Amino acid sequence: MSGVLSSATKTPVQLAALIVGAVFLLIGILGFIPGITTNYGQLQFAGHESGAMLLGLFQVSVLHNIVHLVFGVAGVLLARTWAGARGFLLIGGIIYLVLWLYGLFVPHGGGANFVPFNTADNWLHLVLGVVMIALGAMATRARLQHRLDTH
């Protein structure tokens, strides 16, 4: 496990993936803590009926929190390699952009909103998608530039 946490041998993209993964783990955990998650008594397993709000702003459910935890574990594990970290950031960013689009077109009170999402979640998904893709792309560009400079 110490190899995962050592920043001395990590490339910038690995460090970025590790940080993003750790943040997702933290968010997943916080979603299960009453007080940090308001209306905790209204936390449902899934569906738009869940009235629990992480930080009083983001609608969450047990499923939503589990997704954050799984995504966080994936980020931490994939941060072990440059390719894994880059893939996590790029593919994860694309997933979050798809979730943003999904949240824009699915009625918040409808049955298809099963995770659930609200307006704050939707805009956060847009920001996460753009930032993750940018981090993955910058790392790719930096690595390509390094290769060009050394040859």
Side-chain angles (χ1 to χ4, degrees):
M1 185 73 171
S2 64
V4 171
L5 301 177
S6 171
S7 63
T9 59
K10 297 286 180 217
T11 64
V13 72
Q14 287 175 280
L15 193 55
L18 182 62
I19 291 168
V20 170
V23 168
F24 275 107
L25 281 171
L26 178 63
I27 295 301
I29 292 167
L30 293 176
F32 289 113
I33 299 177
I36 295 173
T37 298
T38 58
N39 304 324
Y40 190 80
Q42 297 176 25
L43 184 69
Q44 301 286 320
F45 177 76
H48 66 276
E49 299 91 8
S50 184
M53 304 288 278
L54 179 62
L55 303 174
L57 187 61
F58 303 103
Q59 188 176 13
V60 293
S61 65
V62 172
L63 178 61
H64 202 157
N65 293 335
I66 290 171
V67 169
H68 289 143
L69 291 169
V70 169
F71 210 76
V73 168
V76 170
L77 292 177
L78 290 168
R80 292 178 175 179
T81 66
W82 183 87
R86 178 179 173 267
F88 169 73
L89 292 170
L90 293 176
I91 294 169
I94 291 167
I95 290 169
Y96 271 91
L97 290 180
V98 169
L99 287 173
W100 169 65
L101 290 172
Y102 183 80
L104 287 179
F105 294 107
V106 171
H108 292 176
N113 186 13
F114 64 92
V115 173
F117 304 132
N118 64 7
T119 301
D121 288 306
N122 290 343
W123 293 109
L124 180 60
H125 292 160
L126 171 63
V127 171
L128 285 170
V130 169
V131 168
M132 288 175 74
I133 289 171
L135 288 169
M138 286 189 302
T140 303
R141 182 176 165 175
R143 186 160 190 166
L144 291 174
Q145 186 62 48
H146 175 73
R147 285 184 179 173
L148 290 174
D149 291 345
T150 58
H151 285 90

